[in-house]
Amino acid sequence: MSNNFHVQRYVFLFLLVVFFAPVKADSIPQFQMKDQYGQSYSDSSVKGKPIVLMGCYLRDVEICRKQGRKLYWKMQNLLWKDSHKVNFLLYLDLKETNKIVEDYIEESKHKQYENILLDRKGHLANGLSKGEVYIRIFNKSGKLLSSTYQSQIEETLIQEVYEILKKEI
């Protein structure tokens, strides 16, 4: 009876671990949100092209903007004529927004900033890490090809992203 109890206990613990373990998403997460200009985006609207999805927490907006711009502009130069064949999406987790942030977003509508998706419901928050940009690359059908966390975009990463995208377009 004792052995049977231990086996049942281990099976139960194993099932708990499997059930509650984080699931690694192998496809683009479902989302629907707007950018700061009111343009709507969804997982289904961006499929059909390779997707570079970069995100971070609100408190890391400067890292996100700086590193996102660096990667985006480097890819524009490297891909040159093919850059329109890739969807580059930058998003902020805005579940913990406040009036100052909302005022800033409203004021930025009149500036020439890159589009930033405003994730107010946390559709893309899973996997974010403090102080880092979460970068994922998906193929045309939305299958995950690569994911990484970066606090700085180095030339080696730029080359890796370029190689992945070049194969996909």
Side-chain angles (χ1 to χ4, degrees):
M1 172 121 170
S2 176
N3 284 340
N4 192 22
F5 175 74
H6 288 295
V7 169
Q8 286 177 345
R9 190 171 83 184
Y10 287 122
V11 169
F12 177 73
L13 289 173
F14 174 76
L15 291 174
L16 278 177
V17 168
V18 168
F19 183 75
F20 289 107
V23 177
K24 183 178 179 184
D26 59 354
S27 62
I28 192 165
Q30 292 183 347
F31 69 91
Q32 185 171 4
M33 62 189 74
K34 294 182 179 186
D35 65 14
Q36 76 269 34
Y37 303 113
Q39 172 83 27
S40 293
Y41 294 83
S42 70
D43 54 297
S44 59
S45 73
V46 298
K47 285 183 183 173
K49 295 180 181 180
I51 303 154
V52 178
L53 186 62
M54 300 178 288
C56 56
Y57 288 116
L58 175 61
R59 64 183 154 268
D60 298 321
V61 66
E62 288 306 314
I63 293 170
C64 216
R65 186 179 296 269
K66 182 179 177 183
Q67 300 310 316
R69 278 184 180 161
K70 182 176 182 178
L71 183 61
Y72 175 78
W73 288 110
K74 291 276 188 169
M75 286 302 111
Q76 295 299 304
N77 290 328
L78 289 171
L79 294 171
W80 195 47
K81 291 181 182 180
D82 291 330
S83 64
H84 68 283
K85 296 179 181 177
V86 178
N87 280 317
F88 292 92
L89 301 175
L90 182 64
Y91 67 94
L92 282 176
D93 177 27
L94 284 182
K95 289 185 300 186
E96 299 176 13
T97 189
N98 59 45
K99 183 168 176 17
I100 295 169
V101 172
E102 293 301 325
D103 288 346
Y104 177 77
I105 290 169
E106 188 61 35
E107 290 170 16
S108 74
K109 288 181 181 180
H110 307 290
K111 298 180 181 176
Q112 298 274 327
Y113 290 138
E114 292 86 359
N115 298 22
I116 297 177
L117 302 182
L118 308 174
D119 190 3
R120 298 182 184 285
K121 296 182 180 178
H123 292 285
L124 300 173
N126 190 24
L128 291 179
S129 178
K130 292 179 183 177
E132 296 179 307
V133 180
Y134 185 26
I135 304 170
R136 293 174 279 179
I137 304 172
F138 300 90
N139 69 9
K140 294 175 185 180
S141 60
K143 182 181 179 216
L144 182 66
L145 300 174
S146 173
S147 70
T148 184
Y149 294 92
Q150 300 291 320
S151 56
Q152 282 200 293
I153 305 295
E154 303 293 336
E155 288 300 317
T156 55
L157 177 69
I158 290 169
Q159 278 305 124
E160 289 171 19
V161 171
Y162 173 70
E163 293 300 323
I164 291 170
L165 294 175
K166 200 64 178 158
K167 288 178 186 175
E168 292 299 313
I169 52 177

